Amino acid sequence: MLIPSKISNRYRTIGMMTGTSMDGIDTALVDFYLNDGIITYNLVEYREYPFPEVLRKKILYMLMGELTMQEVSSVNTYIAEIYADAVLMLLKELNINSSEIDFIGCHGQTLWHQPSPFEFCEKHIRSTFQAIDASALAYKTNIPVISNFRSADIAAGGQGAPLVPIFDYYFLASDNHRALLNIGGMSNVTLLPPCCDRDNIRAFDTGPGNVMIDLAVQMLFNRQYDNSGKIAKSGKLIDKMLDELMQIPFISDLPPKSTGREYFSESYTRSIIYKYNAHNKEDIIRTFTVFTAKSIAHNIARFGSETKELICSGGGTKNPVLMESIAKFLPNCSVNSAEKYGLNSSAKEAIAFAFLAVLFATNKPGNVKSVTGAKEERVLGSLSY
C-alpha cells in the first residue's frame, strides 16, 4: 500500500466536495474496509457546512473574468481555511481525534475546466483548476490530504471528468441496465450495463443541473434557489424558450464530454431571461427547470436507451418539479432518489471523493478510460502532508 492504514484493513477517511452551486461544504466521514480484494464502506456521518456567501459572490464575480492574481491566490487559501473549519467542526461534534483519520479526500472548488485543447502561447493547452491549498488544509487539520484528482486524467488525454463513475462501478453495478444521475450545479450520468466491467461503463455530463435554475431565481426573485420547486410549480412552460435552450450544442454533443459554468454561465442565463422578459417570472423558472430535465432525459435516451432504473442523487433531487419532469421524459424507466437504495443522495459525491482517496492510497487507478477518453488508466490525486 502506498499509504498504510492506521487500523488493519480499514481506512477512516473524510471526503469533501463543493460543487458548481457553491451551496455548502459536503463533508462525509467514511470507513472503507478492504478484505480479499473486495472494498466495502460505511458512512459514519455526513454533515453540510456553510459555504460563505461573501466567497460565493466573489467567485461568481471572478468567473465573469473580473479577477486579479491576488484574488486567485487568496481564494485558493481561503477555501483551505473553510474546509479546515468544516473538518475540525465535524471531528469536534463526533468527539473524534484527528489522529484517528487516515486522510482527507478533497475535490476543492472548480474555478476552470477546459478539457478540450485551446491555443495558448503557441501551444494547445487542456487545463483544469480546482482551488484548494491542500498543504494548508493538511497543516491546519493535522491530517494528510489527497486532492487534485482531475489533472492526471487530463494529462493522459482525458476529460478529467466525470470522476464519480468509478464509485458507481464498485458499489452500484447490478444485473440490470442501471443509470446513476447526479444533479448538482451540473448534471452527470453513469450508464452501467448488466454485470459490466470497467470497459463497458459510459458516463458524461449531460449539461446543467441546478446552475441555470439557481441563477435565474437569484436574478428574478433575489433568493438562493427554488425551495422544493415551488416557483417552478406555479409557472407555465414557455415552449419557444425551451426549444432554444435545447439547441445549445453541448446538449447533443457526443461523449466523452464534461462542462461547467464556462458554457452555462451567468451572462448566458441573463441573456435568456432578458429575451423572454415579457413572460411571467415564474414561467421562466419553470422553463429552465423543464429544460434541465429534458436535457438529462435526452442524453439518457440517446446514449442509454436500455436503461430501466435511474438512481438520482444531488441537490436536484429535492426539487419535485425537476424529478417529475425527468420521469415524464423517460416513461419506460423507473426514476428514484438514491435513498431508495440505501444511499444518502446528498452525501454521494463526498463519499466518492473519499473513495478516490482510498484508491490513491492503495495505488489503484481512479479514472475510467471509456468515460473520460484518457489513453490509459491512471492513479488520480496528489498527496499533501
Side-chain angles (χ1 to χ4, degrees):
M1 291 186 182
L2 181 60
I3 304 177
S5 58
K6 295 178 184 294
I7 294 179
S8 179
N9 298 326
R10 188 200 77 177
Y11 283 106
R12 174 156 282 191
T13 308
I14 295 176
M16 305 190 76
M17 171 71 185
T18 51
T20 312
S21 296
M22 294 179 284
D23 54 358
I25 304 170
D26 296 340
T27 310
L29 177 61
V30 193
D31 286 338
F32 287 91
Y33 301 93
L34 286 67
N35 293 294
D36 298 325
I38 298 174
I39 304 177
T40 58
Y41 76 91
N42 174 55
L43 175 62
V44 178
E45 190 62 59
Y46 168 76
R47 302 282 170 90
E48 184 177 324
Y49 296 99
F51 194 95
E53 179 63 13
V54 63
L55 178 61
R56 192 186 73 84
K57 287 182 176 179
K58 173 63 74 173
I59 291 175
L60 290 175
Y61 179 73
M62 290 169 60
L63 292 177
M64 295 171 65
E66 303 293 333
L67 74 162
T68 66
M69 290 311 300
Q70 180 187 34
E71 289 175 315
V72 174
S73 180
S74 297
V75 164
N76 201 48
T77 305
Y78 191 113
I79 290 174
E81 295 270 357
I82 62 173
Y83 271 44
D85 290 343
V87 169
L88 295 175
M89 181 62 70
L90 177 70
L91 296 178
K92 181 180 179 181
E93 291 169 349
L94 299 179
N95 194 28
I96 293 175
N97 194 284
S98 61
S99 62
E100 299 177 45
I101 308 300
D102 288 286
F103 40 75
I104 296 168
C106 168
H107 175 259
Q109 179 62 52
T110 299
L111 297 186
W112 184 256
H113 186 64
Q114 180 79 44
S116 300
F118 66 101
E119 190 169 337
F120 178 75
C121 295
E122 300 182 350
K123 284 188 176 292
H124 289 89
I125 300 298
R126 305 160 66 251
S127 67
T128 189
F129 178 40
Q130 283 69 50
I132 179 71
D133 186 337
S135 294
L137 176 59
Y139 178 79
K140 291 177 182 297
T141 59
N142 198 30
I143 302 170
V145 174
I146 301 167
S147 61
N148 192 32
F149 291 103
R150 300 192 188 278
S151 294
D153 184 80
I154 283 186
Q159 292 271 311
L163 295 178
V164 175
I166 192 68
F167 174 85
D168 295 333
Y169 167 68
Y170 267 85
F171 300 109
L172 292 165
S174 72
D175 57 1
N176 197 4
H177 283 279
R178 181 177 276 184
L180 294 306
L181 173 68
N182 185 73
I183 313 171
M186 301 300 158
S187 292
N188 53 75
V189 66
T190 303
L191 304 175
L192 299 176
C195 307
C196 64
D197 57 34
R198 288 173 74 121
D199 293 334
N200 300 132
I201 305 169
R202 300 193 76 188
F204 47 88
D205 288 353
T206 63
N210 301 311
V211 62
M212 298 184 83
I213 303 169
D214 289 351
L215 285 169
V217 168
Q218 290 156 22
M219 293 174 192
L220 295 174
F221 292 89
N222 196 29
R223 303 179 195 173
Q224 285 297 102
Y225 60 95
D226 185 7
N227 189 13
S228 299
K230 292 176 182 176
I231 299 173
K233 188 174 182 179
S234 66
K236 297 179 180 179
L237 185 66
I238 306 169
D239 292 321
K240 188 175 180 181
M241 177 179 159
L242 176 61
D243 291 342
E244 179 173 347
L245 289 168
M246 285 299 296
Q247 295 306 309
I248 296 172
F250 182 87
I251 304 303
S252 296
D253 281 351
L254 298 173
K257 57 179 181 175
S258 59
T259 187
R261 285 181 183 265
E262 296 79 22
Y263 295 100
F264 302 98
S265 64
E266 180 175 352
S267 59
Y268 178 67
T269 303
R270 191 180 299 278
S271 71
I272 293 293
I273 290 172
Y274 179 79
K275 185 172 183 178
Y276 293 94
N277 64 3
H279 294 265
N280 291 333
K281 296 188 294 183
E282 293 82 0
D283 297 349
I284 292 173
I285 301 302
R286 183 173 188 90
T287 305
F288 274 122
T289 304
V290 173
F291 159 62
T292 299
K294 189 172 184 178
S295 63
I296 290 167
H298 169 82
N299 276 271
I300 293 172
R302 185 180 179 193
F303 302 114
S305 60
E306 295 178 312
T307 299
K308 301 301 181 186
E309 290 179 280
L310 180 62
I311 304 172
C312 305
S313 60
T317 61
K318 299 175 183 177
N319 185 330
V321 177
L322 180 56
M323 293 292 286
E324 290 165 8
S325 298
I326 294 170
K328 178 182 176 181
F329 288 123
L330 293 171
N332 298 318
C333 178
S334 67
V335 178
N336 295 290
S337 71
E339 272 75 12
K340 183 177 178 180
Y341 297 82
L343 178 65
N344 185 319
S345 64
S346 297
K348 183 187 172 187
E349 285 204 304
I351 298 170
F353 281 99
F355 177 60
L356 283 166
V358 169
L359 292 179
F360 175 92
T362 54
N363 203 33
K364 291 182 172 63
N367 64 334
V368 180
K369 293 190 300 178
S370 61
V371 167
T372 67
K375 297 181 180 69
E376 58 184 342
E377 293 181 343
R378 302 287 295 174
V379 176
L380 305 183
S382 303
L383 177 63
S384 302
Y385 285 99

